[in-house]
Amino acid sequence: MRMKLLAPVTLMLAGALSSTSYAQDKGACSLEISGNDAIQFDKKSLEVPATCKEVTLTLKHSGKLPKTAMGHNWVLTRSADVQAVSDEGMKAGPTNEYVKPKDARVLAATKVIGGGESTTIKFPTTALKKGEAYMFVCTFPGHSALMRGAFTLK
Ligand code: CO
């Protein structure tokens, strides 16, 4: 009788413990950022541990305006490239999600979303170096000066 009771309890505990450690690993390598109708990201910087092989990034749009008027994307590049990537991305237009096609300076990029929408990307950290200065930016026309921040692999 005792054995019958103990076995399921032990299994439940083991399950709870393993899901907790999994959640922590996943948590450190998972980022979330939100853009609003006032051309702002809710975070000025993002960082992930260098131990992350892959980063999961979710971009949310907390506003109400459509993506044609207040679109947001999330583009990762070296800080030194942020202006050129933004300028050329803007010129690439909405059919390219405001990212110049095959731009090697773009290390990761989401599509453009509008109010109430959300999008998630995964990207490997193999192209990133610890100590290098990176920035994320929204390349929607007129947004790159306001919507940008530091990205660090620490
Ligand atoms: Co934007």
Side-chain angles (χ1 to χ4, degrees), residues 38-87:
I39 320 180
Q40 291 164 331
F41 279 130
D42 67 340
K43 287 174 184 151
K44 298 222 182 298
S45 66
L46 291 169
E47 58 180 38
V48 290
T51 48
C52 294
K53 289 193 172 73
E54 186 180 65
V55 175
T56 302
L57 178 115
T58 298
L59 170 67
K60 292 182 175 178
H61 193 316
S62 60
K64 291 196 166 75
L65 294 169
K67 71 174 183 181
T68 47
M70 185 56 69
H72 299 316
N73 63 5
W74 187 93
V75 178
L76 181 66
T77 184
R78 290 194 310 136
S79 295
D81 296 327
V82 71
Q83 202 55 52
V85 164
S86 300
D87 292 346

Side-chain angles (χ1 to χ4, degrees), residues 39 70-73 138-140 143 147:
I39 320 180
M70 185 56 69
H72 299 316
N73 63 5
C138 172
T139 58
F140 189 86
H143 289 198
M147 299 184 78

